[in-house]
Amino acid sequence: MIANEQLRSTDILSREKILSDYRLAFESRQVSLLGRRDVMGGRAKFGIFGDGKELAQLAAARAFDRGDFRSGYYRDQTFVAALGELRWSEFFAQLYAHTDLEAEPNTAGRSMNGHFATRWLDDRGLWRNQTELYNSVCDIAPTAGQIPRALGLAYASKLFRNNPALSELTNFSHNGNEIVFATIGDASTSQGMFWEAMNAAGVLQVPLLMSVWDDGYGISVPIEYQTVKGSISKALAGFQRDSDEKGLEIFTVKGWDYVALLETYQQAARICRTEQVPVLVHVQELTQPQGHSSSGSHERYKSKQRLAWEAEHDCNLIFKQWILENGYATSDELEAIENEAKQTAKKARLVAWDSFQASMKSDFDEALDLLQQTARHNTKSTELMAIREELRKTVSPVRRDAVSAVRKALRLLRTDTGVGRQRLRFWLDRTNTENTDRFSSHLYSQSPESPMLVDAVPAQFADDSPVVDGYLLLQRYFDSLFSRDPRVVALGEDVGQIGDVNQGFAGLQEKFGEIRITDTGIRETTIIGQGIGMAMRGLRPIVEIQYFDYVYYTLATLTDDLATLLYRTKGGQKAPLIIRTRGHRLEGIWHSGSPMGTMLSSLRGIHILVPRNMTQAAGFYNTLIKGDDPAMVIESLNGYRLKETLPTNLAEFCVPLGVPELLRIGSDVTIVTYGSMCRIVMDAASQLAPMGVNVEVIDVQTLLPFDVKQIIVESIKKTNRVLFADEDVPGGASAYMMQQVIENQNAYRYLDSAPRTLAAKPHRPPYGSDGDYFSKPNVDDVIETVYSIMSESDPERFPAI
């Protein structure tokens, strides 16, 4: 461990700043205490607070500059408040789940308390100037989930510093001078995400300042069960840089030592910022006065000796003693500050609670009035008044109470044709529209840059257009893309020197440099994290997961962070990351390549694109680069060596999202499929034609979004029969497509035969050609399934095979 440098500026320890810090630390403690009381009293559902960590967070905030980023821990309330980015009324508004952005600008009540987010986007969803902001990336609750993106945020600084072509992006960086303050609880460092990110940070040498808040426990589990040697700084000692080898700089400091904390963070930030070196600050001997959360008491698992130690080492108490001993204030002065801080916290709580209740009062009162008016001259008056009285007596009502009461009344009045029922229906329709905005908006971009607004531009071909392998078409495409857009960066395993395992980037690293097309270690989670962080800072990364099955390594980061980012900030933050991978028809248990149902269930908020060939893939990439949503593009692994005609407008043509393509016109059966299955289905359709079956084939092209123009139901109106075919397990993507068409498009009305699905076996395929044939749908399966549909309706014309 290196020794902490002494402070070089006496100004940092001025009386004014010391007492300001004490005031904020005391206020923060008070809001924690009041917040827990609100949970216990039923005003809030759950609470998790930053008590015991106030001094360390104040010190970290002192080293934070405009343009820097915090990728943090949900206990960072003092940190964010010290930056001037959190009013205590906003803290309580989030605790109460207030859905008004004016009251709760972090997440509009969508995240539980302690989840802070700088609003990077304006009202139209377009970027603001990040260099003018104290940037907090919206926190997430899953332990260590904030760490992968922290690596990417810091990596972006490295790119901004080392790539002159990015110098014009002044809204996102000032020459890469920004550093990233990541924060994490000590127990969460046991997660693989943390270790993977710290290793990658040391390899990449990026300005990441990692703070570990160490209070000795992970909920009830003490440190000796969490970390080798009982210390994350000791465990990471092998990562310490020296004069011969790059690595991390490591500091340790006590969480109750005000001066040492200030010294440590000033020095750590200086090294991180000027030398572009990752730094670990292990903040030890912190306490947790109220325990882990509002869910239980720490007296259950901490000994009396430990509780006594925590009382003695409370950072705020020791800070107070230090102030008195060094003559910065008298007891009376500190008591006055404390009393004012208590009043500040109480006032913020009252303001937040009154505002929260007032936001719902008009709807609540109107529902009561409508129920009473409807009951006056109604035969169901007694029942309606009972519903009204139950609503009126609700303690601390929320929106659901009024809505539920009105819905109950409407069920009661289902045969009523009077004006009272109409008014209740109008009230419910209006509030449902408003509540859709409050609770369900911004799953995808609502900005002018939404990829859903990108117009289709057809691929064009000349008479002499060359016919090339699919991988060469992609190679030409990426060459064009990187030439015209300096924001685009590609990284992944084997992407750089060899140009990816299927040669889509072959030769491009040599042309555009390692700074733009970069190899990574085998670390899928932080590959995604790098991409998320870069996309948050105005770059347009394309990150590669080498094979589709490897997405499982990244799933927590994709579903918890990327997929929810726009939604959980209600349009305040975005990360338009493009994830490139390849799948379908792979052979072997761990390379089967088709876990599509998992993606559909987990990644709402990310577009899922399944191009059947590389021309379609290139068109999708053009569309996504023009847009601002994250997306996953799953290329067909067995298509790279197939021949395709090279479009003449490779850089301009765009394939729209959510629009299926009709591949074959038919009249008897509609087959709905995607990806590599398109070739299998087209082959089967050709073989069915001589058997008297005329098949219509539709490639859905994108699964999220799915057929936004309802093209498929129009085909079913003609054929009256449908088969959904894919290579996922039964009940996966094929069932999803059926639900979308039969239920959402009401296609059941036009069916003369039961809708069918054709999927893979419920197990992963064993290795080899036979494993693939007997595990996944093949041409024979498609032919016989379609034929059986026809045989069922006309057995004389189509006798059973």
Side-chain angles (χ1 to χ4, degrees):
M1 309 299 162
I2 69 171
N4 295 328
E5 236 179 42
Q6 291 189 348
L7 289 171
R8 290 170 292 174
S9 172
T10 56
D11 180 60
I12 288 178
L13 285 178
S14 69
R15 167 185 156 86
E16 181 183 5
K17 289 189 176 180
I18 290 168
L19 296 187
S20 175
D21 281 352
Y22 184 72
R23 181 185 299 275
L24 187 54
F26 201 89
E27 286 178 1
S28 185
R29 180 66 58 87
Q30 293 305 302
V31 300
S32 293
L33 296 171
L34 292 173
R36 182 180 176 86
R37 189 181 304 171
D38 275 343
V39 176
M40 298 297 105
R43 281 187 171 184
K45 301 283 289 184
F46 178 78
I48 195 160
F49 307 104
D51 46 307
K53 297 161 180 65
E54 292 91 350
L55 279 196
Q57 293 181 17
L58 284 166
R62 286 278 194 91
F64 200 101
D65 288 347
R66 288 190 185 275
D68 287 345
F69 288 80
R70 184 192 68 89
S71 182
Y73 185 36
Y74 42 65
R75 299 188 191 277
D76 283 353
Q77 68 197 48
T78 312
F79 196 153
V80 182
L83 296 175
E85 298 299 303
L86 176 67
R87 296 177 298 173
W88 296 130
S89 60
E90 294 169 351
F91 176 89
F92 286 107
Q94 191 174 63
L95 187 68
Y96 305 144
H98 194 159
T99 58
D100 188 342
L101 276 171
E102 290 295 321
E104 204 281 86
N106 295 285
T107 71
R110 294 182 177 186
S111 289
M112 64 183 181
N113 79 296
H115 291 66
F116 309 112
T118 305
R119 299 200 72 77
W120 295 329
L121 309 179
D122 63 21
D123 292 341
R124 300 178 66 214
L126 304 178
W127 291 109
R128 297 169 62 201
N129 188 338
Q130 289 181 341
T131 66
E132 297 176 348
L133 305 172
Y134 295 105
N135 298 287
S136 280
V137 184
C138 190
D139 300 275
I140 60 175
T143 53
Q146 72 274 26
I147 302 304
R149 68 177 184 224
L151 178 72
L153 291 163
Y155 185 69
S157 287
K158 180 176 181 176
L159 296 186
F160 280 119
R161 177 162 293 196
N162 292 288
N163 183 359
L166 300 177
S167 61
E168 294 183 2
L169 297 177
T170 54
N171 280 359
F172 297 99
S173 180
H174 287 157
N175 194 38
N177 192 51
E178 304 77 24
I179 64 176
V180 178
F181 289 71
T183 66
I184 188 171
D186 181 70
S188 296
T189 65
S190 299
Q191 292 279 11
M193 291 179 183
F194 174 83
W195 288 87
E196 187 175 311
M198 295 310 294
N199 177 61
V203 170
L204 294 170
Q205 291 292 282
V206 293
L208 175 65
L209 199 166
M210 179 73 68
S211 295
V212 178
W213 311 138
D214 185 356
D215 55 34
Y217 287 83
I219 306 184
S220 67
V221 182
I223 189 64
E224 56 264 29
Y225 290 97
Q226 303 280 359
T227 309
V228 63
K229 299 184 178 181
S231 166
I232 193 61
S233 53
K234 290 180 180 178
L236 286 173
F239 286 33
Q240 171 73 52
R241 66 173 182 162
D242 56 35
S243 58
D244 298 319
E245 295 178 312
K246 296 178 180 179
L248 318 180
E249 197 60 85
I250 300 176
F251 294 82
T252 61
V253 63
K254 306 302 184 187
W256 43 262
D257 189 336
Y258 179 64
V259 175
L261 284 164
L262 290 173
E263 291 173 349
T264 298
Y265 274 103
Q266 292 296 315
Q267 186 181 1
R270 180 183 58 78
I271 291 171
C272 198
R273 196 181 308 277
T274 60
E275 300 181 38
Q276 296 274 289
V277 170
V279 178
L280 175 78
V281 178
H282 181 192
V283 184
Q284 301 169 317
E285 297 189 8
L286 290 166
T287 65
Q288 207 155 260
Q290 297 188 109
H292 173 265
S293 70
S294 61
S295 292
S297 170
H298 60 161
E299 284 85 357
R300 292 181 300 163
Y301 53 86
K302 290 179 182 176
S303 67
K304 291 181 179 179
Q305 293 79 7
R306 173 68 191 190
L307 290 169
W309 181 91
E310 289 199 10
E312 294 172 1
H313 287 79
D314 186 310
C315 63
N316 284 7
L317 177 61
I318 294 178
F319 188 24
K320 180 177 182 178
Q321 293 169 348
W322 179 86
I323 291 172
L324 293 171
E325 289 170 1
N326 286 274
Y328 288 108
T330 65
S331 295
D332 289 344
E333 288 173 323
L334 293 186
E335 183 177 352
I337 289 173
E338 292 167 3
N339 289 333
E340 291 169 5
K342 288 178 181 179
Q343 291 306 310
T344 296
K346 288 179 180 178
K347 182 179 179 181
R349 174 178 179 248
L350 180 62
V351 167
W353 180 249
D354 287 349
S355 175
F356 175 60
Q357 289 191 306
S359 71
M360 300 175 288
K361 190 175 187 304
S362 61
D363 281 347
F364 184 82
D365 289 347
E366 187 178 355
L368 288 174
D369 289 344
L370 288 172
L371 288 168
Q372 185 167 16
Q373 292 171 24
T374 305
R376 281 176 183 163
H377 305 291
N378 196 286
T379 57
K380 301 289 179 64
S381 177
T382 301
E383 295 95 324
L384 287 168
M385 287 304 292
I387 293 171
R388 183 188 185 278
E389 186 64 9
E390 183 181 4
L391 177 61
R392 187 187 67 80
K393 290 182 176 180
T394 304
V395 178
S396 300
V398 291
R399 296 186 189 280
R400 71 174 185 184
D401 297 309
V403 169
S404 181
V406 170
R407 292 173 73 179
K408 189 182 297 184
L410 285 169
R411 292 196 296 271
L412 185 68
L413 298 171
R414 60 191 178 277
T415 60
D416 197 301
T417 58
V419 68
R421 182 183 182 280
Q422 294 175 14
R423 289 172 177 168
L424 287 171
R425 182 75 253 176
F426 177 81
W427 181 94
L428 184 62
D429 290 344
R430 175 184 61 77
T431 56
N432 279 343
T433 299
E434 293 168 354
N435 287 328
T436 295
D437 175 71
R438 290 186 181 105
F439 302 109
S440 299
S441 66
H442 292 91
L443 182 61
Y444 295 97
S445 174
Q446 297 178 198
S447 84
E449 297 178 345
S450 166
M452 298 300 295
L453 301 178
V454 175
D455 293 330
V457 177
Q460 297 175 1
F461 304 94
D463 293 339
D464 59 349
S465 291
V467 176
V468 299
D469 288 340
Y471 80 90
L472 287 172
L473 187 149
L474 277 182
Q475 192 183 106
R476 300 271 188 94
Y477 169 74
F478 287 127
D479 189 350
S480 169
L481 176 63
F482 276 72
S483 295
R484 68 180 187 268
D485 193 338
R487 301 172 303 159
V488 179
V489 179
L491 59 87
E493 298 161 17
D494 302 303
V495 166
Q497 185 175 357
I498 69 169
D500 89 42
V501 291
N502 293 100
Q503 299 292 282
F505 283 101
L508 299 187
Q509 185 186 73
E510 184 176 356
K511 180 174 181 179
F512 295 102
E514 188 176 351
I515 195 70
R516 294 191 64 194
I517 301 175
T518 309
D519 284 318
T520 70
I522 301 176
R523 48 174 182 83
E524 283 80 7
T525 297
T526 48
I527 289 172
I528 292 296
Q530 271 183 265
I532 294 173
M534 285 190 286
M536 286 174 168
R537 298 191 60 184
L539 301 177
R540 297 311 310 267
I542 300 172
V543 301
E544 182 169 306
I545 301 300
Q546 196 165 87
Y547 295 111
F548 191 20
D549 303 75
Y550 297 169
V551 171
Y552 282 118
Y553 285 98
T554 77
L555 196 55
T557 298
L558 288 172
T559 186
D560 292 331
D561 198 359
L562 182 62
T564 66
L565 179 66
L566 188 73
Y567 170 79
R568 72 180 189 268
T569 59
K570 199 183 181 186
Q573 297 187 351
K574 62 184 175 182
L577 171 64
I578 298 173
I579 302 133
R580 180 188 181 223
T581 187
R582 51 192 63 83
H584 314 299
R585 310 313 298 194
L586 279 74
E587 297 181 357
I589 291 172
W590 295 284
H591 293 81
S592 50
S594 298
M596 206 66 69
T598 302
M599 302 303 115
L600 294 171
S601 298
S602 304
L603 301 184
R604 301 301 171 98
I606 299 174
H607 296 301
I608 306 295
L609 315 185
V610 283
R612 67 182 179 273
N613 58 34
M614 305 312 151
T615 303
Q616 300 304 97
F620 279 138
Y621 287 124
N622 278 335
T623 299
L624 294 174
I625 287 293
K626 290 183 176 183
D628 63 352
D629 268 330
M632 178 181 291
V633 182
I634 304 153
E635 298 168 8
S636 297
L637 180 63
N638 57 5
Y640 292 113
R641 296 288 176 177
L642 298 180
K643 302 297 184 182
E644 299 184 40
T645 303
L646 187 69
T648 57
N649 61 338
L650 197 59
E652 293 82 28
F653 86 98
C654 295
V655 178
L657 306 189
V659 182
E661 183 174 349
L662 181 64
L663 301 185
R664 190 180 195 276
I665 297 174
S667 56
D668 293 326
V669 179
T670 299
I671 303 182
V672 180
T673 191
Y674 62 84
S676 293
M677 279 294 292
C678 289
R679 290 189 288 277
I680 291 171
V681 168
M682 289 293 282
D683 187 355
S686 296
Q687 295 188 45
L688 281 162
M691 301 171 71
V693 183
N694 193 354
V695 175
E696 184 146 298
V697 180
I698 296 177
D699 174 11
V700 301
Q701 301 208 93
T702 70
L703 290 165
L704 293 176
F706 185 90
D707 191 7
V708 296
K709 296 185 177 180
Q710 299 203 346
I711 290 170
I712 297 171
V713 70
E714 296 302 316
S715 173
I716 294 172
K717 287 179 182 179
K718 177 176 58 174
T719 64
N720 308 118
R721 300 175 185 88
V722 64
L723 171 66
F724 300 93
D726 90 318
E727 10 171 336
D728 198 7
V729 295
S734 57
Y736 162 79
M737 292 191 292
M738 178 185 280
Q739 181 267 336
Q740 291 286 303
V741 175
I742 303 304
E743 181 181 337
N744 288 2
Q745 298 184 12
N746 293 318
Y748 67 90
R749 299 176 180 177
Y750 311 105
L751 291 175
D752 292 337
S753 300
R756 297 279 295 275
T757 64
L758 178 61
K761 295 294 191 293
H763 55 77
R764 298 186 184 189
Y767 177 67
S769 297
D770 278 348
D772 177 77
Y773 180 86
F774 290 106
S775 300
K776 290 192 174 186
N778 53 60
V779 173
D780 298 323
D781 293 331
V782 176
I783 292 170
E784 292 170 12
T785 301
V786 172
Y787 187 87
S788 71
I789 295 172
M790 299 303 297
S791 178
E792 181 183 23
S793 63
D794 191 349
E796 290 188 7
R797 184 181 173 194
F798 302 101
I801 296 175

